[in-house]
Amino acid sequence: MAKTTLEKWFTPARILTGGFATLILIGGVLLSLPFASNSGEGLNFLDALFTATSATCVTGLVVVDTLTQFNLFGQLVILSLIQIGGLGFMTVTTFIIIFTGRRIGLRERLVIQEALNVNSLEGVIRLARNIVLITVAIELFFAAILAFRFSMDMPVDRAIYYGIFHAISSFCNAGFDLFGNFRSLTGYVTDPTVNIVVMILIILGGLGFTVMVDVWKAPRPEKLSLHTKLVLTMTATLLIAGAIGYYLLEMNNPKTLGPLAWNEKLLAAMFASTTARTAGYATIDYGSLTDASLLWTILLMFIGASPGSTGGGIKTVTTIVILLYVISILTGKESTVAFRKRLDPRTVHKSFAVAVISAILLVTVTFALTLTEDKEFIRLLFEATSAFGTVGLSTNLTPELTPFGRIIVMLMMFAGRVGPVTLALALTLRAQQKAMIKYPEEKLFVG
Amino acid sequence: MAKTTLEKWFTPARILTGGFATLILIGGVLLSLPFASNSGEGLNFLDALFTATSATCVTGLVVVDTLTQFNLFGQLVILSLIQIGGLGFMTVTTFIIIFTGRRIGLRERLVIQEALNVNSLEGVIRLARNIVLITVAIELFFAAILAFRFSMDMPVDRAIYYGIFHAISSFCNAGFDLFGNFRSLTGYVTDPTVNIVVMILIILGGLGFTVMVDVWKAPRPEKLSLHTKLVLTMTATLLIAGAIGYYLLEMNNPKTLGPLAWNEKLLAAMFASTTARTAGYATIDYGSLTDASLLWTILLMFIGASPGSTGGGIKTVTTIVILLYVISILTGKESTVAFRKRLDPRTVHKSFAVAVISAILLVTVTFALTLTEDKEFIRLLFEATSAFGTVGLSTNLTPELTPFGRIIVMLMMFAGRVGPVTLALALTLRAQQKAMIKYPEEKLFVG
Ligand SMILES: [K+]
Ligand SMILES: [K+]
C-alpha cells in the first residue's frame, strides 16, 4: 500500500514530540491567565510556558513559587500536566480511545510503542490500561498516608489535597511542591513518614511500568526478564552508592547534613540519593552543597531513571550496558555478558549513541548558558543536567535565569523528556522510517 | 610454541607503560639533584617527579618555573625527556636497536606497533627510522628561524639554545618554555614570526607521522589513505572553528584579546586554537578567560591531536568517527560512511569505548580534585582535562595544587600519554592478549 505524503511525514517520533509540544502550549496559555494566579494578574507568558514545560516534562524546575503564584485552578492545571506528562500523554490517549470504543490502528500502536518503549506490538493496549490502573492505585494508597501525616500540620481538607498533590508529583517524579517559598521538602528533612513515602513513590515511578508488571507476574526471581534484572540491580546499586556518597561528602557541611544526628544524616543522604536520579524534591539546600557533592549529583542526574519510567537521564540500563561493554573490552572478552546473557551488539551501539548524543547536548546547553548567565560554571552545569534529566533540583538559580537562559533550560527539559534520540529523529527530515524500523528489533531498551 | 609465564606477563601494553614509568623515575631522580637546580639545593622529590612526568608525557604543566628552578643541566634533562617522550621511547629504542645491529623480534615489533599505532607489522622498522629523520630535520629547520628571531632579544648563543629548546618543545607538543615566571609565550602574543613558526611546529607534530609520510608519498590527493583524509579534514576544521570561537568569545575581554588590534586578535585566536588541542604554549592568560572560553578550551583539549602523533586527547579520528556514526543514526542510514568508504563497525565501537573510558577517567579525576583543592570547579576540570590531553595549559593553579592534587594530576598526565585503553590493559590481569590480537585488525586508528 502506498502511503500518502502526510502519512509519511507523521512519524511516531514526530507525533510524540508534537503532542508534548501541544500540551505544553495549552498549559502555558492556561497558566498565564489572570484566572490562574493568586494576585489576579496574569503571569507573563514566558514564565507560564516555562512552568507548563516543567510540569509536562515532569521536571520541577520553577521560576515562580507554585504556592504563592498560582491559585487552586492554576495548581490543578499543573497537577494535570504532571499526570498527563508523567504517564505519557499517549497512554492517556490510548485509554480514552479504548473507552470511547474507537479501533486502534497500526499507526497509533507504533506511536504508543515509541512512547512506552515497548518492543512488541502485542499487548500494548493491555499495558496501557494496566499502567493507568497501577498508577491510580499506587497514588491513592500513598496519598492517604501523606494526607494523614499532613493532617497533623494543617486542616484536614488541605491535608487531603496536599496528600494527593504530592503523591502524584512524587510518583510521576515531577518534584513540584506546595510548601511555598521554593522550600520543597526542606521542612521535613528529618521526618521519617514523609521521607519514606516519597522515596517509595519516587523509586516505584522510576522503575518503569514494564518492570513493575514483570515483577508482579514473574513466578520466581530467575524468571524475570534481563531488562528487569538489570534495572533492579542498577537501581539498588545507585541508591546505595549515592547515599554513601552524600553521607561522606556532606557529613561535616554545617549548611546541609552537619547539624543532623547520624540517623537523620542517613535519612537525608538516602533521600538525596533517591531524589537525584529524577524526582527533584529537596530536603537539603542544594545551593549549599560542596562542589564534590554537586558533581556527584550531576552524575546521578545524568544517569537518571529506568527506561519507560516517568524519569529522565540516559537511563540505568544504558549506563550498565556501557559499563559492561567497557569491562568486557578491558578484560579482553569477546562479547558483553550480563546475567549469563550475551548482549546484542546493536544494543551496545545504541547505548553508546544515547550517552554520547546526551553528553554533546549537555555540553552545548551548558556552553550556551555560560554565554548569558553570570553564574558559577558548576551551577550552570548542574542546572543544565537537572533539566536534561528532568530532575528539577537547582542551586536556586532557576528564578534568576535571564530570558535567554529560561528558553534554553525550557528546550533542554523538553529534549530530556522526549529523549534526545526521539527529538533528533523528529527534527530530521529524511529516512527516519528506516531507523524506526531498525531499532524496535533490539533486545533491551536503553534510553 | 608454549610461552613462558614471564613472556605472557610482558604484554606490549605493559612494556610500553613500564618503559614510560622507568623513564619518568630516572628523570625525577636527576631533576631532584642539587646539581640540577640554580639554587644549588635539590628540588623536593614530588615536584621533581611531577616535572619529569610532565616532560616525558609532553604535557607542560609545571609546579616550578623551568627557567628559575633549573640550571642548564636540569633544562637539558627536561629537553631529553621531552624528545624521548615525544618521539615515543619505543621509536628511540628501535633506532638504537637498528644501529647496534640487533635483530628485532615479533615481540618488539608488537610493542612498537602499540606505541606508534601502526596496524601492519611490515614497515615498522622503516617507519621508526623515518620518524627520527623527519623529526630532526623539521626541528633543526624551525629552530634556526626561531634562533634568528630570538637573537634580536638576547645574545646569539642563548638565542640558538632557545631556538632549539622551543622548536623541540613545540614539535613534541610539550609546551615547556624558558621565558621565566610561568610566562610561557605571553611576551610574544603579537609577534608573527614566533607565533607562525610555533604554530607550524605544533600542527605538524600533532598530525602524526603516518599522516606526514602519507602526504609526502601520495602522488595525488585522492590517493591519500582514509585515515590521512580524516586527520587533515578534522585538523583544519578544528583549527578554524577553534579560532573563530576564541575570537568571538574573547574579543571584548579586556584581560585577553580586548586591547589588541583586529589582526593581532586574529593571530592570538589562531594561536589559542592551535595550542589548545595539545601543545600548551600560551600567549594569553588562561586565568583571565571567560567561562565560555574555558569550556571551549576544555572541549578542544579533550579532543586533542591525531593518532600516532606527539599529542594527547581522545584524538581527532575518534571524534569524527563518533560524530559520523551519530549523524548516520539520526539520518537513518544503515552504515557509517566517510569519504565514500564504509567504516568498520568495530572501529565505531572502539571509538565509543575510547571516548567513554576517557570521559569516565576525566570525571573521576576532576571529582578527586574537588575533594582536596579549594578552587573553582571549572578550573579543576580545566586542569584535569589539560593533564588528560597532555596539553599543559592552566588557569595558573598547578603550582598551588596540594600534594594530593599534584599526585592526581601526575597520574592523569601519565594516563593521558600512555592512553587510557593501553593503561587499563596494562593494569588488567587477564586475557589482555586476546584484546591485543583483536584490535590490530581494525582499519582506522582511533585513540
Ligand atoms: K523531576
Ligand atoms: K603539551
Side-chain angles (χ1 to χ4, degrees):
Chain A
M1 258 190 312
K3 287 182 176 179
T4 67
T5 317
L6 200 67
E7 272 181 322
K8 270 188 197 157
W9 197 88
F10 277 105
T11 59
R14 278 193 183 134
I15 296 177
L16 188 69
T17 310
F20 264 109
T22 311
L23 191 62
I24 288 169
L25 212 60
I26 295 170
V29 170
L30 289 176
L31 290 177
S32 68
L33 297 176
F35 185 62
S37 285
N38 276 325
S39 65
E41 280 179 44
L43 182 60
N44 73 73
F45 188 65
L46 179 60
D47 287 357
L49 199 65
F50 189 98
T51 309
T53 309
S54 184
T56 309
C57 301
V58 290
T59 307
L61 287 174
V62 284
V63 285
V64 293
D65 183 66
T66 315
L67 180 73
T68 1
Q69 174 65 41
F70 300 106
N71 60 19
L72 186 62
F73 171 76
Q75 292 169 14
L76 289 179
V77 168
I78 291 175
L79 194 59
S80 310
L81 294 176
I82 290 172
Q83 185 73 84
I84 301 172
L87 274 175
F89 78 104
M90 285 317 303
T91 321
V92 176
T93 314
T94 319
F95 199 55
I96 293 167
I97 292 169
I98 295 170
F99 277 78
T100 55
R102 271 191 52 194
R103 232 187 86 251
I104 297 190
L106 184 64
R107 167 159 300 277
E108 280 80 17
R109 286 201 202 160
L110 268 175
V111 177
I112 299 160
Q113 186 184 340
E114 176 79 0
L116 300 180
N117 220 340
V118 175
N119 271 355
S120 112
L121 278 177
E122 292 156 29
V124 162
I125 300 172
R126 206 173 341 122
L127 180 64
R129 188 169 38 207
N130 285 343
I131 288 174
V132 177
L133 292 177
I134 294 173
T135 302
V136 172
I138 292 176
E139 285 174 354
L140 280 182
F141 178 76
F142 288 103
I145 303 180
L146 282 182
F148 179 76
R149 171 66 188 81
F150 290 144
S151 71
M152 293 167 180
D153 301 336
M154 55 185 80
V156 173
D157 55 343
R158 201 162 165 220
I160 293 173
Y161 172 51
Y162 268 46
I164 294 171
F165 188 98
H166 294 94
I168 292 178
S169 186
S170 297
F171 184 68
C172 294
N173 274 310
F176 275 83
D177 71 276
L178 295 179
F179 295 101
N181 262 322
F182 303 101
R183 266 184 307 186
S184 195
L185 299 181
T186 46
Y188 293 95
V189 58
T190 59
D191 186 283
T193 316
V194 172
N195 273 276
I196 291 169
V197 167
V198 170
M199 278 196 279
I200 292 174
L201 283 166
I202 292 172
I203 293 169
L204 286 178
L207 287 178
F209 296 105
T210 44
V211 170
M212 281 191 256
V213 172
D214 195 20
V215 171
W216 189 263
K217 288 189 175 170
R220 295 192 307 276
E222 307 89 69
K223 292 282 177 189
L224 292 170
S225 73
L226 176 59
H227 176 79
T228 302
K229 284 179 188 165
L230 288 176
V231 165
L232 294 178
T233 316
M234 267 305 273
T235 303
T237 309
L238 286 170
L239 286 174
I240 294 167
I244 294 172
Y246 281 112
Y247 196 101
L248 295 176
L249 295 172
E250 291 297 319
M251 56 192 282
N252 295 322
N253 185 343
K255 289 178 185 166
T256 58
L257 303 190
L260 306 178
W262 73 268
N263 47 5
E264 294 169 339
K265 277 192 175 85
L266 195 63
L267 188 68
M270 279 169 60
F271 191 88
S273 173
T274 309
T275 200
R277 277 185 318 100
T278 212
Y281 274 135
T283 62
I284 49 177
D285 174 25
Y286 284 78
S288 305
L289 287 189
T290 60
D291 278 4
S293 295
L294 288 179
L295 183 56
W296 191 247
T297 312
I298 288 169
L299 290 176
L300 292 172
M301 295 195 294
F302 186 73
I303 294 173
S306 297
S309 76
T310 49
I314 63 168
K315 305 290 185 313
T316 51
V317 177
T318 314
T319 309
I320 186 73
V321 167
I322 289 173
L323 292 181
L324 288 173
Y325 178 74
V326 164
I327 291 169
S328 77
I329 277 210
L330 296 182
T331 53
K333 293 222 178 82
E334 286 292 320
S335 55
T336 311
V337 174
F339 290 106
R340 297 186 189 174
K341 297 234 169 98
R342 198 166 171 272
L343 297 183
D344 182 352
R346 279 185 303 174
T347 303
V348 176
H349 252 102
K350 199 191 168 190
S351 298
F352 274 119
V354 168
V356 168
I357 292 175
S358 301
I360 292 173
L361 187 65
L362 183 59
V363 170
T364 310
V365 165
T366 307
F367 180 75
L369 289 177
T370 62
L371 294 175
T372 55
E373 314 303 308
D374 189 21
K375 307 284 178 188
E376 279 175 72
F377 176 78
I378 193 163
R379 294 177 66 199
L380 297 176
L381 178 63
F382 191 97
E383 194 82 3
T385 317
S386 180
F388 166 73
T390 67
V391 180
L393 294 174
S394 174
T395 59
N396 312 322
L397 67 71
T398 326
E400 296 168 23
L401 290 172
T402 62
F404 175 83
R406 286 168 194 229
I407 292 170
I408 290 287
V409 169
M410 216 156 68
L411 292 174
M412 186 60 153
M413 292 193 282
F414 189 73
R417 178 64 180 130
V418 175
V421 176
T422 306
L423 185 65
L425 286 173
L427 298 176
T428 313
L429 284 172
R430 57 207 176 100
Q432 53 285 87
Q433 294 284 0
K434 236 181 185 168
M436 281 294 99
I437 289 157
K438 194 176 170 191
Y439 287 109
E441 293 172 31
E442 295 178 23
K443 295 289 186 315
L444 281 175
F445 327 128
V446 290
Chain B
M1 252 190 317
K3 286 182 175 181
T4 66
T5 317
L6 201 68
E7 270 180 325
K8 270 188 200 161
W9 198 87
F10 277 106
T11 59
R14 279 193 182 136
I15 296 176
L16 188 68
T17 310
F20 265 107
T22 310
L23 191 61
I24 288 168
L25 212 60
I26 295 170
V29 171
L30 289 176
L31 290 176
S32 69
L33 297 177
F35 185 62
S37 286
N38 275 325
S39 64
E41 280 177 45
L43 182 60
N44 73 72
F45 187 65
L46 179 61
D47 287 357
L49 199 66
F50 190 99
T51 309
T53 309
S54 185
T56 309
C57 301
V58 290
T59 307
L61 288 174
V62 284
V63 285
V64 292
D65 183 67
T66 315
L67 180 73
T68 358
Q69 174 65 42
F70 299 106
N71 58 19
L72 185 62
F73 171 76
Q75 291 168 16
L76 290 179
V77 167
I78 291 175
L79 195 59
S80 310
L81 293 176
I82 290 172
Q83 186 71 85
I84 301 172
L87 275 174
F89 77 104
M90 285 316 303
T91 322
V92 175
T93 314
T94 319
F95 199 56
I96 294 168
I97 292 169
I98 295 170
F99 276 78
T100 55
R102 270 189 53 193
R103 232 185 88 252
I104 297 188
L106 184 64
R107 166 159 300 276
E108 280 82 17
R109 286 198 202 165
L110 268 175
V111 178
I112 298 160
Q113 185 183 343
E114 176 79 0
L116 300 181
N117 220 340
V118 175
N119 271 354
S120 108
L121 278 177
E122 292 155 30
V124 162
I125 299 171
R126 206 171 344 120
L127 179 65
R129 186 166 43 204
N130 285 343
I131 288 173
V132 177
L133 292 178
I134 293 172
T135 302
V136 172
I138 292 177
E139 285 174 353
L140 279 183
F141 177 76
F142 288 102
I145 303 181
L146 282 181
F148 178 76
R149 172 63 188 82
F150 290 143
S151 71
M152 293 166 178
D153 302 335
M154 54 185 80
V156 174
D157 53 346
R158 201 161 165 223
I160 294 173
Y161 172 51
Y162 269 46
I164 295 172
F165 188 98
H166 294 93
I168 292 179
S169 186
S170 297
F171 184 69
C172 293
N173 275 309
F176 276 83
D177 71 275
L178 295 178
F179 295 101
N181 261 322
F182 302 101
R183 268 183 307 186
S184 195
L185 299 181
T186 47
Y188 293 94
V189 58
T190 60
D191 186 285
T193 316
V194 172
N195 274 275
I196 292 169
V197 167
V198 170
M199 278 195 278
I200 293 175
L201 283 167
I202 292 173
I203 293 169
L204 287 178
L207 287 178
F209 295 105
T210 43
V211 170
M212 281 192 257
V213 173
D214 196 21
V215 171
W216 190 264
K217 287 189 175 170
R220 296 191 308 275
E222 307 89 71
K223 291 284 177 189
L224 292 170
S225 72
L226 176 59
H227 176 79
T228 302
K229 284 179 187 165
L230 288 176
V231 165
L232 293 178
T233 316
M234 269 303 274
T235 303
T237 309
L238 286 170
L239 286 174
I240 294 166
I244 294 172
Y246 282 112
Y247 195 102
L248 295 176
L249 295 171
E250 293 295 320
M251 56 192 280
N252 295 321
N253 184 344
K255 288 179 183 164
T256 58
L257 303 190
L260 306 177
W262 73 268
N263 48 6
E264 294 169 340
K265 278 192 175 82
L266 195 64
L267 188 68
M270 280 169 59
F271 191 88
S273 174
T274 309
T275 200
R277 277 187 315 102
T278 213
Y281 274 135
T283 63
I284 50 177
D285 174 27
Y286 284 78
S288 304
L289 287 189
T290 60
D291 278 3
S293 295
L294 288 179
L295 184 56
W296 191 247
T297 312
I298 288 169
L299 289 177
L300 292 172
M301 294 196 295
F302 187 72
I303 294 173
S306 296
S309 76
T310 49
I314 63 168
K315 304 292 183 316
T316 53
V317 176
T318 314
T319 309
I320 186 72
V321 166
I322 289 172
L323 292 180
L324 288 173
Y325 177 74
V326 165
I327 291 168
S328 77
I329 277 210
L330 296 183
T331 54
K333 293 220 180 85
E334 286 293 319
S335 54
T336 312
V337 174
F339 289 106
R340 298 186 188 175
K341 296 230 171 104
R342 197 167 171 272
L343 296 184
D344 181 353
R346 280 184 302 176
T347 303
V348 176
H349 252 101
K350 197 189 167 191
S351 298
F352 273 119
V354 167
V356 169
I357 292 176
S358 301
I360 292 174
L361 187 66
L362 183 58
V363 170
T364 309
V365 165
T366 307
F367 181 76
L369 289 177
T370 62
L371 294 175
T372 54
E373 315 301 310
D374 189 21
K375 307 284 179 189
E376 278 174 75
F377 176 78
I378 194 165
R379 294 176 68 199
L380 297 177
L381 178 62
F382 191 98
E383 194 82 5
T385 317
S386 180
F388 166 73
T390 66
V391 179
L393 294 174
S394 175
T395 59
N396 312 321
L397 68 70
T398 326
E400 295 169 22
L401 289 173
T402 62
F404 175 82
R406 286 170 194 227
I407 292 170
I408 290 288
V409 169
M410 217 157 67
L411 292 174
M412 187 61 153
M413 293 193 281
F414 189 72
R417 178 63 180 130
V418 174
V421 176
T422 306
L423 185 64
L425 286 173
L427 298 177
T428 311
L429 284 172
R430 57 205 178 105
Q432 54 284 85
Q433 293 284 359
K434 238 180 187 173
M436 281 294 99
I437 289 158
K438 193 174 171 193
Y439 288 108
E441 292 172 35
E442 295 177 23
K443 295 291 185 316
L444 282 174
F445 328 127
V446 291

